[in-house]
């Protein structure tokens, strides 16, 4: 996690870096800092907490070169002292990092035995001291950084600014790093969105590549050999810059409402574009669908669709657990990775295991040019546009819409799936009205003081129940738990007492009767029963009635949970876009 941004060129670099960091705050917002050149010094400006509305005017002077960092704390508390960038003892350079130095303790002990001292609690300072140590042997900063980087274990991306010249060095391994080539200057950043309004010319760095910008000249190197490498610019698609709130109070609500279009965008693949993946699925020995968090539930839903509609024995795996099954991956398998960011460390690691065994990789990712996309044999984009709110909403529904298309395409029913998503999109055109908002706000008002809530689903709505509950946990910090309705009587029912809220998801399908039995059982114990259903039923104290979206019904059913999460979170005074302790892109393990 953490966001890195650097700029050198015409214009006011500190202001450009602060604006870039604001766009990267979804990656972490515990603390932030920037470093810029002033006369023959590097000046650091750091703060604990979010950047908020900070502007440089009157605080930070104009400068031609600067780097910055927004942090999600791993080693050391979220204090000003631990905020990046960190400075070398002689002030020659500053460094910011995204990642974790896994051999942190070993390196620190070695450096301490050599007499080095540390000011912060971070693992970042280890890298600073390693570079300093290498500079004692040779005065070349680039070489000192390269050698230090080779000593690091774990996924790390770093950026350095040197004091005496216009010199930025950045190195990537695991955590993302992309360069933007503008008419007026060069950008170094953790994603393309942070500078997409300035330039669409980009260079994606691969792992173990380093970039040096020295007095107007850009060069790329292979970290292992130290040799210079050629690079290729790419062009970003036109719509990649749109990341305003467009009149909404929060990105979360904007992104929820956008689903009326984004589900449709996700299925804009022709049959011939899908064919190679479909063929690979049909011929694979094993099909694994993997993801983490919300993307993990999307992976579960895609696997469900493949089993139910594609007749394919697809297996879902949580990315963080997939390592335990690495012995099972073979060259005859396909792994389909699901991810919004395309940078999630657990998911990338699973892909690496699978690739080592020769398995093929398919993916559905939202972020253009991300690592997972570039690791994939069959890479697809979920095409939801930038998702800024830390809690994923539109990316989830896009991923599962795409999954439905794939599952049906496997059995030659591509058109049926596409039409069902178009129908869902039609339903959503009139979905987000005042009546629904008022009803969900009223339920949210009555939930302000609850501690727990259970969400029941079955079959096609099982992953929807778990994702619905996760969404509400993330934004409200309340304990919502989703699980298959049939599991209730095997344990969780012990927790049901008078007024315990239980939300049940009921589609017009074969599981309806089982759902009603579960609702009866909790009602008999005094639960407050809420239905997300197609029609009213006396078993429900409150009902959120939705239209029947046919095979796309589970996609529709998650939306009331997203809205409840948003309205309850706002009522509780939380910032739905930046929930506590979370970051959007989890690039550490
Ligand atoms: C979603 O609301 C969460 N912030 C989180 O669970 C997320 O889905 C997970 O970290 C995976 O991220 P990815 O989709 O970028 O891979």
């Amino acid at each position: 996690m953490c966001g890195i941004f650097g700029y050198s060129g015409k214009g006011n670099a500190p202001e450009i870096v602060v604006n870039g960091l604001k766009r990267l705050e979804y990656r972490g917002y515990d603390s932030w800092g920037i470093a810029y050149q002033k006369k023959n010094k590097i000046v650091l400006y750091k703060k604990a907490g979010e950047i908020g509305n900070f502007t440089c005017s009157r605080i930070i002077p104009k400068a031609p070169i600067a780097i910055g960092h927004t942090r999600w704390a791993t080693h050391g508390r979220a204090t000003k002292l631990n905020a990046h960038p960190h400075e070398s003892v002689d002030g020659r350079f500053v460094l910011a990092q995204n990642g974790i130095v896994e051999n942190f303790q070993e390196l620190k002990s070695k450096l301490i035995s050599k007499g080095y001292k540390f000011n912060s609690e971070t693992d970042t300072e280890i890298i600073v001291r390693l570079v300093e140590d290498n500079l004692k042997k040779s005065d070349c900063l680039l070489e000192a950084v390269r050698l230090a980087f080779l000593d690091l274990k774990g996924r790390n991306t770093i950026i350095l600014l040197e004091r005496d010249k216009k010199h930025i060095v950045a190195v990537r391994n695991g955590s993302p790093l992309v360069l933007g080539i503008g008419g007026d200057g060069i950008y170094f950043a953790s994603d393309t969105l942070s500078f997409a309004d300035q330039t669409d010319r980009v260079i994606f760095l691969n792992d173990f590549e380093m970039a040096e910008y020295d007095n107007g000249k850009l060069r790329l190197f292979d970290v292992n050999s130290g040799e210079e490498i050629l690079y290729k610019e790419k062009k970003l698609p036109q719509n990649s810059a749109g990341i305003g709130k467009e009149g909404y109070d929060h990105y979360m609500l904007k992104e929820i409402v956008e689903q009326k279009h984004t589900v449709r965008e996700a299925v804009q693949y022709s049959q011939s574009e899908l064919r190679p993946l479909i063929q690979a699925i049909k011929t694979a020995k094993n099909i694994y669908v993997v993801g983490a968090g919300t993307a993990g539930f999307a992976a579960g839903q895609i696997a469900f669709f493949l089993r139910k509609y594609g007749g394919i024995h697809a297996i879902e795996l949580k990315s963080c657990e997939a390592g335990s099954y690495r012995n099972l991956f073979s060259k005859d398998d396909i792994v389909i990775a699901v991810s919004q960011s395309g940078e999630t460390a657990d998911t990338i690691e699973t892909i690496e295991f699978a690739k080592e065994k020769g398995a093929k990789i398919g993916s559905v990712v939202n972020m253009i040019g991300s690592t997972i996309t570039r690791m994939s044999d069959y890479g697809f984009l979920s095409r939801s546009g930038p998702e800024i709110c830390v809690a994923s909403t539109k990316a989830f529904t896009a991923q599962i819409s795409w999954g439905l298309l794939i599952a049906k395409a496997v059995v030659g029913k591509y058109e049926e799936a596409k039409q069902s998503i178009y129908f869902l999109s039609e339903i959503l055109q009139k979905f987000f009205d005042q009546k629904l908002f008022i009803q969900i706000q009223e339920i949210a008002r009555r939930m302000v003081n609850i501690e727990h809530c259970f969400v029941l689903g079955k079959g096609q709505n099982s992953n929807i129940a778990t994702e619905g509950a996760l969404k509400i946990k993330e934004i409200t910090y309340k304990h919502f738990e989703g699980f298959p309705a049939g599991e209730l009587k095997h344990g969780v029912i012990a927790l049901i007492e008078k007024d315990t809220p239980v939300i049940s998801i009921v589609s017009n399908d074969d599981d309806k009767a089982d759902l009603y039995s579960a609702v009866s059982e909790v009602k008999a114990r005094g639960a407050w029963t809420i239905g997300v259903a197609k029609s009213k039923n006396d078993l429900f104290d409150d009902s959120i009635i939705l239209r029947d979206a046919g095979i796309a019904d589970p996609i529709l059913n998650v939306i009331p949970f997203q809205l409840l999460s948003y309205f309850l979170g706002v009522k509780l005074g939380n910032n739905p876009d930046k929930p506590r302790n979370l970051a959007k892109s989890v690039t550490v393990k």
Side-chain angles (χ1 to χ4, degrees), residues 458-479:
K458 184 170 162 65
Q460 61 175 334
N461 290 312
S462 213
N463 285 293
I464 302 305
T466 44
E467 164 55 14
L470 176 68
K471 205 61 25 215
I472 304 178
K473 268 181 225 171
E474 287 184 301
I475 307 299
T476 69
Y477 319 143
K478 286 186 182 289
H479 175 226

Side-chain angles (χ1 to χ4, degrees), residues 416-577:
E416 183 194 331
K418 198 160 184 173
Q419 290 312 318
S420 77
I421 298 296
Y422 282 6
F423 179 56
L424 169 69
S425 168
E426 254 173 56
I427 293 177
L428 291 177
Q429 298 306 318
K430 293 191 184 138
F431 186 80
F432 300 100
D433 62 5
Q434 272 315 94
K435 203 171 142 229
L436 178 75
F437 283 12
I438 289 168
Q439 189 194 11
I440 295 183
Q441 278 168 330
E442 173 55 18
I443 294 174
R445 186 188 64 74
R446 286 152 61 200
M447 284 188 166
V448 164
N449 294 316
I450 63 155
E451 299 261 324
H452 309 277
C453 176
F454 300 100
V455 184
L456 308 181
K458 184 170 162 65
Q460 61 175 334
N461 290 312
S462 213
N463 285 293
I464 302 305
T466 44
E467 164 55 14
L470 176 68
K471 205 61 25 215
I472 304 178
K473 268 181 225 171
E474 287 184 301
I475 307 299
T476 69
Y477 319 143
K478 286 186 182 289
H479 175 226
F480 274 60
E481 205 58 58
F483 53 90
E487 279 286 304
L488 182 74
K489 54 189 171 299
H490 298 292
V492 182
I493 200 158
L495 297 172
I496 306 293
E497 52 190 3
K498 189 167 171 343
D499 296 332
T500 307
V502 177
I503 313 179
S504 306
I505 311 171
V506 192
S507 287
N508 265 337
D509 59 18
D510 295 345
D511 295 323
K512 196 155 108 178
D514 285 351
L515 250 301
Y516 284 140
S517 302
V519 180
S520 309
E521 287 158 14
V522 293
K523 196 168 177 71
R525 287 156 181 89
W528 167 22
T529 56
I530 304 159
V532 171
K534 305 297 141 200
S535 57
K536 290 208 170 196
N537 189 298
D538 288 346
L539 288 170
F540 293 128
D541 300 312
D542 289 278
S543 309
I544 298 167
I545 304 299
L546 309 181
R547 283 182 67 186
D548 188 341
I551 55 170
D553 214 39
I555 310 171
L556 177 63
N557 287 340
V558 78
I559 298 176
F561 293 91
Q562 299 171 343
L563 288 169
L564 181 58
S565 166
Y566 175 74
F567 287 126
L568 184 52
V570 169
K571 229 172 244 309
L572 292 163
N574 304 339
N575 178 351
D577 289 338

Side-chain angles (χ1 to χ4, degrees), residues 292-295 338-342 344 390-392 470-471 474 584 586:
T294 290
V338 185
S339 176
Q340 190 288 129
S341 62
T344 301
V390 167
S392 185
L470 176 68
K471 205 61 25 215
E474 287 184 301
K584 189 148 188 76
V586 186

Side-chain angles (χ1 to χ4, degrees), residues 339-405:
S339 176
Q340 190 288 129
S341 62
E343 302 293 349
T344 301
D346 292 329
T347 309
I348 290 174
E349 195 178 83
T350 307
I351 296 174
E352 286 167 353
F353 294 153
K355 268 176 135 15
E356 270 167 32
K357 295 287 186 77
K360 291 276 180 257
I361 309 298
S363 64
V364 57
V365 170
N366 199 41
M367 280 292 283
I368 298 157
S370 63
T371 305
I372 294 179
T373 304
R374 289 182 293 128
M375 291 172 96
S376 302
D377 302 292
Y378 315 101
F380 291 84
L381 291 169
S382 49
R383 294 176 169 163
S384 313
E387 191 183 64
I388 307 298
C389 174
V390 167
S392 185
T393 53
K394 61 177 181 171
F396 175 77
T397 50
Q399 287 155 354
I400 61 177
S401 298
W402 175 88
L404 183 62
L405 186 73

Side-chain angles (χ1 to χ4, degrees), residues 141-418:
L141 183 68
L142 187 73
E143 184 60 4
V145 172
R146 186 180 81 81
L147 294 174
F149 199 81
L150 288 173
D151 280 341
L152 307 180
K153 290 209 172 111
R155 296 173 191 277
N156 287 287
T157 290
I158 57 173
I159 186 165
L160 292 91
L161 169 65
E162 193 176 10
R163 179 184 54 204
D164 298 326
K165 38 188 196 156
K166 286 189 188 155
H167 192 197
I168 291 178
V169 176
V171 198
R172 174 197 160 126
N173 177 33
S175 302
L177 181 64
V178 58
L179 312 183
I181 313 296
D184 287 340
I186 184 160
Y187 303 81
F188 291 73
S190 299
D191 75 13
T192 54
L193 280 179
S194 53
F195 59 72
D197 58 341
Q198 300 298 324
T199 180
D200 59 357
R201 292 165 53 202
V202 296
I203 299 165
F204 294 104
L205 261 73
N206 294 311
D207 286 347
F208 285 98
E209 288 181 358
M210 66 195 287
E212 178 188 50
Y213 191 67
D214 193 357
N215 233 346
K217 189 158 187 255
L218 174 70
R219 292 194 302 166
L220 260 61
F221 299 88
D222 178 299
V223 177
N224 288 310
S225 66
E227 278 169 21
E228 191 169 347
I229 48 177
L230 296 174
Y231 57 84
K232 238 192 188 162
E233 270 185 40
K234 292 201 166 151
K235 227 172 160 54
L236 291 175
Q238 272 176 348
N239 61 356
S240 12
I243 58 166
K245 277 195 208 144
E246 289 163 24
Y248 289 90
D249 288 342
H250 298 101
Y251 284 109
M252 184 173 188
L253 188 57
K254 169 183 171 262
E255 289 162 7
I256 292 171
V257 174
E258 279 175 348
Q259 291 174 112
K260 49 188 173 187
H261 312 297
T262 51
V263 290
R264 213 181 154 98
E265 290 304 313
V267 296
Q268 295 307 317
Y269 284 104
S270 68
Q271 297 200 58
S272 59
E273 285 171 310
L274 296 181
R275 198 161 293 127
L277 172 67
I278 301 297
Q279 202 49 33
I281 291 174
K282 280 183 175 170
T283 53
K285 189 167 158 217
N286 296 298
I287 295 120
Y288 298 101
V289 194
V290 302
T294 290
F297 295 130
Q301 191 67 23
I302 293 170
F304 171 88
F305 285 147
L306 281 168
R307 293 191 299 266
K308 171 115 181 145
Y309 299 122
I312 297 270
H313 188 219
I315 301 158
E316 67 237 41
L317 291 177
K318 299 283 173 222
S319 302
C320 63
E321 289 288 306
S324 322
Y325 307 101
R326 60 201 288 183
N327 59 320
L328 295 182
F329 294 142
S330 81
K331 67 172 184 28
D332 302 320
D333 298 341
I334 179 164
V335 171
I336 301 175
V338 185
S339 176
Q340 190 288 129
S341 62
E343 302 293 349
T344 301
D346 292 329
T347 309
I348 290 174
E349 195 178 83
T350 307
I351 296 174
E352 286 167 353
F353 294 153
K355 268 176 135 15
E356 270 167 32
K357 295 287 186 77
K360 291 276 180 257
I361 309 298
S363 64
V364 57
V365 170
N366 199 41
M367 280 292 283
I368 298 157
S370 63
T371 305
I372 294 179
T373 304
R374 289 182 293 128
M375 291 172 96
S376 302
D377 302 292
Y378 315 101
F380 291 84
L381 291 169
S382 49
R383 294 176 169 163
S384 313
E387 191 183 64
I388 307 298
C389 174
V390 167
S392 185
T393 53
K394 61 177 181 171
F396 175 77
T397 50
Q399 287 155 354
I400 61 177
S401 298
W402 175 88
L404 183 62
L405 186 73
I406 296 297
K408 283 282 180 185
V410 164
V411 288
K413 294 188 176 169
Y414 163 92
E415 204 49 50
E416 183 194 331
K418 198 160 184 173

